[in-house]
Amino acid sequence: MDQNITLTEDEKDCLQELMNVAYGSATAAITEILDAFAKLSIPKIQIINAQNLKSYLSKELNLNEEHLVALQQINGVLSGENMFVIDKKSAKNMAYKFGLSEEEINEEEICDITLEITNILSSSTISKLAEDIETCVSFSAPTIRIINSIDELNNIFISQYEKVIIISTKLEFIDLNIDGELFILTTDNSILYIKEKLNKILDEL
């Protein structure tokens, strides 16, 4: 693997545009389910060494309180992992929007709802991206855990790779005090495949 692999500015702009379209379908799906306006911020895209992922996330996330972390593996030529991170208070507010009362809300319910949102984000965003770059993907069942610090985030999957493309965005429901972060992590050969397809799209413009 070329340790100096990068995305040019044109490639980043192209990928960002593809992700904006993909996020549009995800936002619509979540808005319909929760009956509240959802917003996904403009994605940030960069390539880092996989060994630096934990330090990168520690800077991006405020983990001074309990957070739920849902992980879903992406399988295919476009392989990697979706990671949805949400603080416990925001996750509880999502449970209210799903119609649960204070008495009905417990840790299991909060985890189930977070997994449901992760499924929606994964299927909407990655499936659309895969379609646009002419490939197919499948998803493994998502997993979830509650963490109190970045040191508890032991991502075995990422340890197998050298480079990671990080596509990150913030999920907000402005009126509901719900705030989460979505990270799409694609690695090694997927980076080369994405570059190839982005350049094909750029050549056709």
Side-chain angles (χ1 to χ4, degrees), residues 20-36:
N20 279 333
V21 173
Y23 287 157
S25 59
T27 300
I30 293 174
T31 296
E32 182 176 353
I33 288 175
L34 295 183
D35 191 27

Side-chain angles (χ1 to χ4, degrees), residues 48 69 104 126 137 168 171 177 190:
I48 66 170
V69 179
E104 294 172 315
I126 298 302
V137 293
S168 60
L171 172 67
N177 196 24
S190 294

Side-chain angles (χ1 to χ4, degrees), residues 23-24 26-27 38-42 121 125 169-172 182:
Y23 287 157
T27 300
K39 177 184 176 183
L40 283 165
S41 63
I42 295 173
L121 291 171
T125 56
T169 187
K170 182 183 288 290
L171 172 67
E172 293 180 292
L182 175 67

